Amino acid sequence: MTKQLFMEDAYRKSAPGTVVRITDEGGVVLDGALFYAQGGGQPGDSGTLDWAGGRLRIATTVKGEGGEIVMVPAEAGELPPVGATVEQRLDWDRRFAHMRVHTALHLLSVVIPLPVTGGAISAEKGRLDFDMPDAPDDKMVLQGKLNALIDRDLPVSETWITDAELEANPGLVKTMSVMPPMGAGRVRLVRIGEEGASQIDLQPCGGTHVRRTGEIGKVTLGKIEKKGRQNRRVSVILAE
């Protein structure tokens, strides 16, 4: 099982690693991955692996078997040998944009407190699909509420609970389409606001986030699209 370094520090831009396996498809598996593996609507990280005498461009990162994280090369070429020490370097601007968008979507689920049926993240924008039969009356009011939460510069932190505790508190899960990762004995919760009366959101999530909501910056809401009889898609777009 690959150690998830991105969970320990989402702001770390580089880290050493040791190659433990090359997959049949040519993917690289390290003992510890700084790169986030695609999941929960968040894309896999890209960047480079450097080792003595070589450099490999990584296009994306995905989940493999048995808890492995697999880094996928951008093109065919020389691969680092098993046992080699490599330096992982993130495409930091892209990752940080994903962090900003992901945290903004958590806030969107606060502004629109309806069940979430899907979602996706990119470096420029993100979207959530809601179980929302009728369109909201005023999109600009929602946009104002969302930016007001961002401007409060609320802390974003994490806590962990057991699988059993999550099963006993199903209200923590906002997504109808994707269940939080369970089976390892514990589940990560992402909190926005201070624990207690000033907490505004707490939900299971394995993605990467900013430390404070102020880092998101101003956002706009895109067109609210109807997707099926009861689903509506709401997009959040970063101002810059």
Side-chain angles (χ1 to χ4, degrees):
M1 185 171 183
T2 309
K3 187 175 183 180
Q4 299 178 348
L5 301 179
F6 55 84
M7 282 282 204
E8 298 175 358
D9 182 1
Y11 285 76
R12 191 173 179 181
K13 302 176 180 66
S14 65
T18 300
V19 180
V20 296
R21 192 167 82 86
I22 301 297
T23 70
D24 293 341
E25 298 77 19
V28 181
V29 180
L30 304 181
D31 58 341
L34 188 65
F35 290 29
Y36 177 80
Q38 179 180 335
Q42 182 171 329
D45 281 330
S46 56
T48 58
L49 297 181
D50 291 286
W51 68 97
R55 164 171 281 198
L56 182 66
R57 178 75 190 162
I58 300 299
T60 189
T61 307
V62 298
K63 296 175 182 176
E65 298 180 358
E68 286 185 339
I69 292 176
V70 182
M71 299 174 182
V72 181
E75 57 188 21
E78 181 185 4
L79 298 175
V82 172
T85 297
V86 300
E87 186 71 14
Q88 310 172 63
R89 292 186 171 88
L90 282 175
D91 281 342
W92 171 248
D93 289 345
R94 179 173 178 265
R95 153 71 86 77
F96 187 56
H98 292 162
M99 291 162 60
R100 293 167 62 203
V101 171
H102 201 154
T103 309
L105 292 182
H106 278 224
L107 292 176
L108 181 64
S109 74
V110 174
V111 172
I112 304 177
L114 295 173
V116 175
T117 58
I121 294 165
S122 75
E124 297 81 27
K125 64 182 180 179
R127 54 91 173 166
L128 290 180
D129 297 343
F130 292 94
D131 185 4
M132 183 193 301
D134 300 312
D137 294 332
D138 193 333
K139 182 183 75 173
M140 296 308 295
V141 171
L142 293 177
Q143 181 174 297
K145 290 180 177 179
L146 182 56
N147 278 302
L149 289 177
I150 292 170
D151 289 343
R152 285 173 61 183
D153 197 28
L154 297 161
V156 182
S157 59
E158 66 177 42
T159 189
W160 294 80
I161 60 174
T162 65
D163 288 355
E165 287 174 315
L166 181 59
E167 290 173 349
N169 293 275
L172 290 172
V173 181
K174 295 186 177 184
T175 54
M176 299 171 65
S177 59
V178 179
M179 287 301 293
M182 298 175 66
R186 63 177 193 156
V187 178
R188 176 181 182 245
L189 302 181
V190 172
R191 172 184 289 112
I192 300 180
E194 298 287 354
E195 184 175 4
S198 62
Q199 174 180 295
I200 67 165
D201 190 48
L202 182 69
Q203 58 178 293
C205 184
T208 57
H209 294 270
V210 293
R211 293 189 182 111
R212 303 193 68 89
T213 61
E215 295 179 75
I216 298 169
K218 292 291 184 184
V219 300
T220 59
L221 293 186
K223 180 181 178 182
I224 297 178
E225 305 172 82
K226 188 172 183 179
K227 296 291 181 179
R229 186 168 60 88
Q230 290 195 202
N231 289 319
R232 294 183 190 271
R233 178 167 295 174
V234 184
S235 296
V236 174
I237 304 165
L238 296 179
E240 57 180 28

